[in-house]
Amino acid sequence: MKLAVALQLGRISNLPTVWTNVMVGALLAGASLAEARLPLLMLAMSLFYLGGMFLNDAFDRGFDARHRPERPIPSGQAGAREVFSAGFGLLAAGLIGLALAATFAVPAGGTSGLAPTLAAGAALAGAIVLYDAHHKANPLSPLIMGMCRVLVVVTAALAVAGSLPQVVLLAAAALLCHLIGLTYIAKQEHLGRLGSLWPLGFLAVPLAYGATLAASTPAAWPPLAIYAGVLVAALALLRRRAPGDVPRAVVTLIAGMSVLDAVMLAGAGLVVPAALAVAAFALTLALQRWVSGT
């Protein structure tokens, strides 16, 4: 498999959103930017993400042959067996990375949550496979996809604290609502249109929660304004529905996860990490011009 094909299969342009999800889970649970566990967790979760993307193409090869024949498997650039093997191998490597992050990089006086971290990692791997194998025509697939990202946040928190503070759970719930709206749109991507719009109401939940954070922590207002702008831009594309508007709305909302993460971090008074999350949003948009985010 050529490197360019692997990058396309892995949709690597969206990796910065995984890193900001990790920051939310780890930093809201008490970690610092200086901890060695943070880059280890980002690496481990990147492996989970890449494995999930590989498996998505492997399971969708029949659908892609009809609707997206330019994808690597139907176009003959990669074989289904090698993509399946790489996908499951990446998930296994992610679990190993979690074990390393939870045990070998614990600062003095820190907490090691190996057992709960591995349990959450196994649940994440299971959710990824379940989504990839059964997301077509599955009305619960937006919820399953949302739980995949929630488990990234949860696993990162467990790796540094061994428990789940309320602030982590609230941030994960906001992210879940964003993902439900996003995944509903993504399910319609190949049609270029939307049916019932009510699931998009889930996108209002993180906006409302962000406003409550900003009311007590003014540093959250700037990223919240950017997040609101992302939602407006995506919904404007959906309303116009010109050719290609639905895919553009999808990739905009994917990148917007990092801005939502910035709101959660700023709401906790973590201004520098919030700024890094906004930078990750810009990086995701730039990378999506190089490698498709969907």
Side-chain angles (χ1 to χ4, degrees):
M1 187 188 305
K2 294 181 179 180
L3 176 60
V5 175
L7 296 178
Q8 185 182 3
L9 283 167
R11 297 167 179 84
I12 57 99
S13 55
N14 298 328
L15 276 175
T17 67
V18 177
W19 304 335
T20 60
N21 290 166
V22 171
M23 282 203 300
V24 166
L27 299 185
L28 294 187
S32 72
L33 281 176
E35 285 190 24
R37 283 185 289 188
L38 196 58
L40 283 173
L41 285 169
M42 289 181 178
L43 174 59
M45 291 307 177
S46 296
L47 294 172
F48 276 101
Y49 170 82
L50 293 172
M53 292 298 99
F54 271 64
L55 292 175
N56 184 271
D57 265 54
F59 281 112
D60 281 1
R61 62 194 184 280
F63 176 89
D64 287 343
R66 297 188 298 273
H67 298 281
R68 303 184 69 183
E70 75 283 359
R71 292 298 299 172
I73 295 178
S75 66
Q77 299 176 77
R81 180 176 296 180
E82 68 174 330
V83 176
F84 269 120
S85 297
F88 284 114
L90 286 164
L91 294 183
L95 282 170
I96 294 172
L98 284 180
L100 292 173
T103 56
F104 296 139
V106 181
T111 302
S112 173
L114 179 60
T117 300
L118 290 181
L124 173 58
I128 288 171
V129 174
L130 177 62
Y131 175 81
D132 286 339
H134 300 292
H135 68 102
K136 297 299 183 186
N138 180 358
L140 295 179
S141 61
L143 176 62
I144 299 170
M145 181 69 257
M147 287 306 301
C148 290
R149 288 289 187 142
V150 164
L151 284 167
V152 171
V153 174
V154 165
T155 305
L158 289 173
V160 302
S163 61
L164 296 174
Q166 183 180 29
V167 64
V168 172
L169 294 175
L170 290 173
L175 181 62
L176 175 63
C177 290
H178 180 92
L179 264 295
I180 289 175
L182 164 61
T183 309
Y184 174 77
I185 295 170
K187 282 170 66 70
Q188 316 298 319
E189 182 180 359
H190 73 284
L191 300 176
R193 60 177 174 80
L194 287 171
S196 173
L197 295 178
W198 67 263
L200 299 183
F202 281 98
L203 295 174
V205 175
L207 195 62
Y209 178 56
T212 65
L213 292 176
S216 58
T217 310
W221 282 117
L224 181 62
I226 298 173
Y227 180 66
V230 169
L231 296 184
V232 169
L235 294 177
L237 288 171
L238 295 177
R239 181 180 181 185
R240 188 176 66 177
R241 300 187 196 177
D245 278 350
V246 173
R248 281 192 286 271
V250 170
V251 296
T252 299
L253 290 173
I254 290 174
M257 279 190 285
S258 288
V259 185
L260 178 57
D261 289 338
V263 174
M264 301 298 110
L265 292 165
L270 302 170
V271 177
V272 172
L276 292 174
V278 172
F281 164 68
L283 177 59
T284 301
L285 291 178
L287 289 174
Q288 285 173 347
R289 295 178 177 272
W290 176 47
V291 177
S292 174
T294 63

